[in-house]
Amino acid sequence: MSRVFSRTIVIGISILLIVLLSGIVVAQDREVGPITQAIIDRGELICGVNAVVAGFGFQDPATGEYSGFDVDFCRAVAAAILGDANAVTFRPLTAAERQAAIQSGEIDMMSRNTTWTLSRDVDWGAIFGPTTFYDGQGIMTLAEFDVTTFAELDGSTVCVQAGTTTELNITDYISAQGLDIEILVLPDANSTWEAYISGRCESWTTDKSGLAAFRSNNAENPADHVILTETLSKEPLGPLSPQSDPQFAEIVTWTVFGLIQAEEFGITSENVMEFVQGEDESDEAYAERVGPDVARFLGEGGNLSGEYLGLDNDFKVTVISQVGNYGEIYERNLTPIGLERAGSLNALWTEGGLLYAMPFR
């Protein structure tokens, strides 16, 4: 072997070692972004949510407490950063207020049944996290009309909320179908529902999840209202945060992925501590007991995880113990309003759905 060739190999190996060691240093000393730092300094996360959609984001008028599927993702991020799922201030937002809230810095993040679109991604200056609920726009009408398609309501009026993708979608759909249906635009979800209930329109439209929520929580007799089988659009809903802090956006993203992966592993709020490394358990014994994938996922057994994000390595243990996994969040909030998960797009990929977490390695 020539001296030049040998020297080249040595240099190559040296460069590789420097790169690998540098990667470890970056993981261990990850500098947090401005939004993450602001959250740490104030000791709470400010999250924009809905306050009127049961199951997703709802403020109890008696107690002022917030609950819902979207709300729990805010709590999960707070648990990841601060170790406390209750360290959240919820900021109720109408659909029309969302863009200003994300652009002005009024909120740290938003988890409020918001569809990921090209224009919002760019014009809002937002970074969308993983889709947490795959939805589609639907139409609700009165059961007494005995119709099965929107076309059978030709000549009527449909109510829709302003400032939403649903407003554009229903306009396009009516035009494409050649229907003579008047569109009545209302400022928010509650006024849209009230207009429909009072008879100002024969139908109303929003995401099917929203229709189910209002029928379950607001209708005197839910059986009086039917959701037509037609699906007008794709509505991928999920959390988002300002583009000004990519590091915080990474925390949001990997917190969501963690909730999904926990369900796939069968790790719940009830059993998560069984997957934690024992005080006197060696790294090797621990990895053999739970499996290397779970050890990496939980940041236990000497595995880096949270440090890549500027968090504690075992941050997912905290999140899961306080909030649960994705399945627990869904079961707690959406199953009670009639949104069955089995066979839907929101099932895990292993069960025929679209929910899929990126690898934790």
Side-chain angles (χ1 to χ4, degrees), residues 42-64:
R42 80 168 80 94
E44 65 176 8
L45 170 77
I46 302 175
C47 193
V49 296
N50 210 319
V52 296
V53 178
F56 284 87
F58 186 77
Q59 184 179 25
D60 188 315
T63 65

PDB file of all heavy atoms in Angstrom, residues 42-64:
ATOM      1  N   ARG A  42     -41.250  32.091  30.778  1.00  0.00           N
ATOM      2  CA  ARG A  42     -42.533  32.447  31.398  1.00  0.00           C
ATOM      3  C   ARG A  42     -43.160  31.286  32.149  1.00  0.00           C
ATOM      4  O   ARG A  42     -44.108  31.462  32.915  1.00  0.00           O
ATOM      5  CB  ARG A  42     -43.492  33.005  30.339  1.00  0.00           C
ATOM      6  CG  ARG A  42     -44.202  32.005  29.485  1.00  0.00           C
ATOM      7  CD  ARG A  42     -45.337  32.636  28.683  1.00  0.00           C
ATOM      8  NE  ARG A  42     -44.847  33.324  27.508  1.00  0.00           N
ATOM      9  CZ  ARG A  42     -44.769  32.764  26.285  1.00  0.00           C
ATOM     10  NH1 ARG A  42     -45.137  31.506  26.124  1.00  0.00           N
ATOM     11  NH2 ARG A  42     -44.344  33.450  25.254  1.00  0.00           N
ATOM     12  N   GLY A  43     -42.638  30.078  31.909  1.00  0.00           N
ATOM     13  CA  GLY A  43     -43.145  28.911  32.625  1.00  0.00           C
ATOM     14  C   GLY A  43     -44.470  28.388  32.133  1.00  0.00           C
ATOM     15  O   GLY A  43     -45.129  27.594  32.820  1.00  0.00           O
ATOM     16  N   GLU A  44     -44.844  28.756  30.926  1.00  0.00           N
ATOM     17  CA  GLU A  44     -46.083  28.249  30.354  1.00  0.00           C
ATOM     18  C   GLU A  44     -46.072  28.395  28.837  1.00  0.00           C
ATOM     19  O   GLU A  44     -45.370  29.245  28.283  1.00  0.00           O
ATOM     20  CB  GLU A  44     -47.304  28.970  30.928  1.00  0.00           C
ATOM     21  CG  GLU A  44     -47.383  30.444  30.574  1.00  0.00           C
ATOM     22  CD  GLU A  44     -48.661  31.109  31.084  1.00  0.00           C
ATOM     23  OE1 GLU A  44     -49.404  30.459  31.843  1.00  0.00           O
ATOM     24  OE2 GLU A  44     -48.905  32.265  30.701  1.00  0.00           O
ATOM     25  N   LEU A  45     -46.853  27.559  28.184  1.00  0.00           N
ATOM     26  CA  LEU A  45     -47.053  27.598  26.742  1.00  0.00           C
ATOM     27  C   LEU A  45     -48.336  28.357  26.451  1.00  0.00           C
ATOM     28  O   LEU A  45     -49.335  28.178  27.146  1.00  0.00           O
ATOM     29  CB  LEU A  45     -47.164  26.167  26.208  1.00  0.00           C
ATOM     30  CG  LEU A  45     -47.607  25.974  24.754  1.00  0.00           C
ATOM     31  CD1 LEU A  45     -46.455  26.270  23.802  1.00  0.00           C
ATOM     32  CD2 LEU A  45     -48.114  24.542  24.540  1.00  0.00           C
ATOM     33  N   ILE A  46     -48.322  29.208  25.422  1.00  0.00           N
ATOM     34  CA  ILE A  46     -49.541  29.894  24.983  1.00  0.00           C
ATOM     35  C   ILE A  46     -49.994  29.236  23.689  1.00  0.00           C
ATOM     36  O   ILE A  46     -49.293  29.273  22.680  1.00  0.00           O
ATOM     37  CB  ILE A  46     -49.311  31.401  24.772  1.00  0.00           C
ATOM     38  CG1 ILE A  46     -48.813  32.048  26.067  1.00  0.00           C
ATOM     39  CG2 ILE A  46     -50.600  32.076  24.303  1.00  0.00           C
ATOM     40  CD1 ILE A  46     -48.452  33.517  25.921  1.00  0.00           C
ATOM     41  N   CYS A  47     -51.168  28.632  23.723  1.00  0.00           N
ATOM     42  CA  CYS A  47     -51.636  27.828  22.597  1.00  0.00           C
ATOM     43  C   CYS A  47     -52.997  28.311  22.111  1.00  0.00           C
ATOM     44  O   CYS A  47     -53.941  28.435  22.899  1.00  0.00           O
ATOM     45  CB  CYS A  47     -51.721  26.355  23.006  1.00  0.00           C
ATOM     46  SG  CYS A  47     -51.931  25.216  21.634  1.00  0.00           S
ATOM     47  N   GLY A  48     -53.102  28.577  20.816  1.00  0.00           N
ATOM     48  CA  GLY A  48     -54.363  28.988  20.217  1.00  0.00           C
ATOM     49  C   GLY A  48     -55.242  27.780  19.935  1.00  0.00           C
ATOM     50  O   GLY A  48     -54.796  26.813  19.313  1.00  0.00           O
ATOM     51  N   VAL A  49     -56.492  27.837  20.401  1.00  0.00           N
ATOM     52  CA  VAL A  49     -57.393  26.694  20.276  1.00  0.00           C
ATOM     53  C   VAL A  49     -58.799  27.162  19.912  1.00  0.00           C
ATOM     54  O   VAL A  49     -59.095  28.357  19.900  1.00  0.00           O
ATOM     55  CB  VAL A  49     -57.470  25.892  21.589  1.00  0.00           C
ATOM     56  CG1 VAL A  49     -56.127  25.281  21.930  1.00  0.00           C
ATOM     57  CG2 VAL A  49     -57.961  26.784  22.742  1.00  0.00           C
ATOM     58  N   ASN A  50     -59.645  26.195  19.612  1.00  0.00           N
ATOM     59  CA  ASN A  50     -61.069  26.463  19.468  1.00  0.00           C
ATOM     60  C   ASN A  50     -61.704  26.388  20.839  1.00  0.00           C
ATOM     61  O   ASN A  50     -61.196  25.685  21.720  1.00  0.00           O
ATOM     62  CB  ASN A  50     -61.704  25.425  18.533  1.00  0.00           C
ATOM     63  CG  ASN A  50     -62.896  25.977  17.772  1.00  0.00           C
ATOM     64  OD1 ASN A  50     -63.702  26.708  18.340  1.00  0.00           O
ATOM     65  ND2 ASN A  50     -63.013  25.626  16.505  1.00  0.00           N
ATOM     66  N   ALA A  51     -62.802  27.085  21.023  1.00  0.00           N
ATOM     67  CA  ALA A  51     -63.476  27.055  22.324  1.00  0.00           C
ATOM     68  C   ALA A  51     -64.906  26.562  22.221  1.00  0.00           C
ATOM     69  O   ALA A  51     -65.596  26.453  23.240  1.00  0.00           O
ATOM     70  CB  ALA A  51     -63.465  28.448  22.956  1.00  0.00           C
ATOM     71  N   VAL A  52     -65.347  26.231  20.989  1.00  0.00           N
ATOM     72  CA  VAL A  52     -66.780  25.942  20.815  1.00  0.00           C
ATOM     73  C   VAL A  52     -67.051  24.621  20.097  1.00  0.00           C
ATOM     74  O   VAL A  52     -68.208  24.305  19.826  1.00  0.00           O
ATOM     75  CB  VAL A  52     -67.479  27.082  20.043  1.00  0.00           C
ATOM     76  CG1 VAL A  52     -67.418  28.375  20.843  1.00  0.00           C
ATOM     77  CG2 VAL A  52     -66.880  27.269  18.654  1.00  0.00           C
ATOM     78  N   VAL A  53     -66.022  23.840  19.781  1.00  0.00           N
ATOM     79  CA  VAL A  53     -66.238  22.580  19.060  1.00  0.00           C
ATOM     80  C   VAL A  53     -65.990  21.413  20.008  1.00  0.00           C
ATOM     81  O   VAL A  53     -64.845  21.076  20.324  1.00  0.00           O
ATOM     82  CB  VAL A  53     -65.335  22.475  17.817  1.00  0.00           C
ATOM     83  CG1 VAL A  53     -65.547  21.132  17.114  1.00  0.00           C
ATOM     84  CG2 VAL A  53     -65.636  23.614  16.847  1.00  0.00           C
ATOM     85  N   ALA A  54     -67.055  20.791  20.465  1.00  0.00           N
ATOM     86  CA  ALA A  54     -66.950  19.677  21.401  1.00  0.00           C
ATOM     87  C   ALA A  54     -66.094  18.567  20.810  1.00  0.00           C
ATOM     88  O   ALA A  54     -66.186  18.251  19.626  1.00  0.00           O
ATOM     89  CB  ALA A  54     -68.339  19.144  21.724  1.00  0.00           C
ATOM     90  N   GLY A  55     -65.251  17.990  21.652  1.00  0.00           N
ATOM     91  CA  GLY A  55     -64.388  16.912  21.215  1.00  0.00           C
ATOM     92  C   GLY A  55     -63.034  17.384  20.724  1.00  0.00           C
ATOM     93  O   GLY A  55     -62.036  16.685  20.868  1.00  0.00           O
ATOM     94  N   PHE A  56     -62.978  18.581  20.161  1.00  0.00           N
ATOM     95  CA  PHE A  56     -61.727  19.105  19.617  1.00  0.00           C
ATOM     96  C   PHE A  56     -61.170  20.259  20.448  1.00  0.00           C
ATOM     97  O   PHE A  56     -60.015  20.226  20.869  1.00  0.00           O
ATOM     98  CB  PHE A  56     -61.926  19.543  18.158  1.00  0.00           C
ATOM     99  CG  PHE A  56     -61.988  18.396  17.203  1.00  0.00           C
ATOM    100  CD1 PHE A  56     -63.190  17.757  16.946  1.00  0.00           C
ATOM    101  CD2 PHE A  56     -60.848  17.925  16.585  1.00  0.00           C
ATOM    102  CE1 PHE A  56     -63.251  16.671  16.080  1.00  0.00           C
ATOM    103  CE2 PHE A  56     -60.885  16.848  15.716  1.00  0.00           C
ATOM    104  CZ  PHE A  56     -62.099  16.212  15.466  1.00  0.00           C
ATOM    105  N   GLY A  57     -61.979  21.251  20.686  1.00  0.00           N
ATOM    106  CA  GLY A  57     -61.571  22.369  21.517  1.00  0.00           C
ATOM    107  C   GLY A  57     -62.807  23.025  22.097  1.00  0.00           C
ATOM    108  O   GLY A  57     -63.600  23.632  21.377  1.00  0.00           O
ATOM    109  N   PHE A  58     -62.992  22.872  23.403  1.00  0.00           N
ATOM    110  CA  PHE A  58     -64.226  23.354  24.021  1.00  0.00           C
ATOM    111  C   PHE A  58     -63.935  23.896  25.407  1.00  0.00           C
ATOM    112  O   PHE A  58     -63.226  23.276  26.196  1.00  0.00           O
ATOM    113  CB  PHE A  58     -65.244  22.212  24.122  1.00  0.00           C
ATOM    114  CG  PHE A  58     -66.595  22.639  24.622  1.00  0.00           C
ATOM    115  CD1 PHE A  58     -67.478  23.295  23.780  1.00  0.00           C
ATOM    116  CD2 PHE A  58     -66.969  22.391  25.924  1.00  0.00           C
ATOM    117  CE1 PHE A  58     -68.724  23.704  24.242  1.00  0.00           C
ATOM    118  CE2 PHE A  58     -68.212  22.787  26.396  1.00  0.00           C
ATOM    119  CZ  PHE A  58     -69.084  23.449  25.548  1.00  0.00           C
ATOM    120  N   GLN A  59     -64.473  25.105  25.673  1.00  0.00           N
ATOM    121  CA  GLN A  59     -64.331  25.712  26.992  1.00  0.00           C
ATOM    122  C   GLN A  59     -65.626  25.538  27.769  1.00  0.00           C
ATOM    123  O   GLN A  59     -66.686  26.006  27.337  1.00  0.00           O
ATOM    124  CB  GLN A  59     -63.978  27.191  26.888  1.00  0.00           C
ATOM    125  CG  GLN A  59     -63.713  27.843  28.238  1.00  0.00           C
ATOM    126  CD  GLN A  59     -63.346  29.311  28.124  1.00  0.00           C
ATOM    127  OE1 GLN A  59     -63.714  29.986  27.159  1.00  0.00           O
ATOM    128  NE2 GLN A  59     -62.605  29.818  29.103  1.00  0.00           N
ATOM    129  N   ASP A  60     -65.532  24.874  28.880  1.00  0.00           N
ATOM    130  CA  ASP A  60     -66.702  24.653  29.726  1.00  0.00           C
ATOM    131  C   ASP A  60     -67.172  25.998  30.266  1.00  0.00           C
ATOM    132  O   ASP A  60     -66.426  26.692  30.962  1.00  0.00           O
ATOM    133  CB  ASP A  60     -66.329  23.732  30.888  1.00  0.00           C
ATOM    134  CG  ASP A  60     -67.525  23.293  31.711  1.00  0.00           C
ATOM    135  OD1 ASP A  60     -68.376  24.152  32.036  1.00  0.00           O
ATOM    136  OD2 ASP A  60     -67.608  22.105  32.045  1.00  0.00           O
ATOM    137  N   PRO A  61     -68.402  26.412  29.946  1.00  0.00           N
ATOM    138  CA  PRO A  61     -68.884  27.726  30.401  1.00  0.00           C
ATOM    139  C   PRO A  61     -68.986  27.843  31.920  1.00  0.00           C
ATOM    140  O   PRO A  61     -68.929  28.941  32.465  1.00  0.00           O
ATOM    141  CB  PRO A  61     -70.267  27.851  29.746  1.00  0.00           C
ATOM    142  CG  PRO A  61     -70.676  26.443  29.445  1.00  0.00           C
ATOM    143  CD  PRO A  61     -69.423  25.699  29.150  1.00  0.00           C
ATOM    144  N   ALA A  62     -69.109  26.719  32.598  1.00  0.00           N
ATOM    145  CA  ALA A  62     -69.254  26.751  34.047  1.00  0.00           C
ATOM    146  C   ALA A  62     -67.911  26.876  34.760  1.00  0.00           C
ATOM    147  O   ALA A  62     -67.773  27.615  35.734  1.00  0.00           O
ATOM    148  CB  ALA A  62     -69.989  25.498  34.527  1.00  0.00           C
ATOM    149  N   THR A  63     -66.917  26.166  34.258  1.00  0.00           N
ATOM    150  CA  THR A  63     -65.618  26.138  34.944  1.00  0.00           C
ATOM    151  C   THR A  63     -64.524  26.926  34.238  1.00  0.00           C
ATOM    152  O   THR A  63     -63.503  27.249  34.841  1.00  0.00           O
ATOM    153  CB  THR A  63     -65.128  24.678  35.093  1.00  0.00           C
ATOM    154  OG1 THR A  63     -64.874  24.142  33.775  1.00  0.00           O
ATOM    155  CG2 THR A  63     -66.180  23.824  35.787  1.00  0.00           C
ATOM    156  N   GLY A  64     -64.734  27.201  32.943  1.00  0.00           N
ATOM    157  CA  GLY A  64     -63.704  27.881  32.163  1.00  0.00           C
ATOM    158  C   GLY A  64     -62.598  26.955  31.699  1.00  0.00           C
ATOM    159  O   GLY A  64     -61.660  27.390  31.027  1.00  0.00           O
TER     160      GLY A  64
END
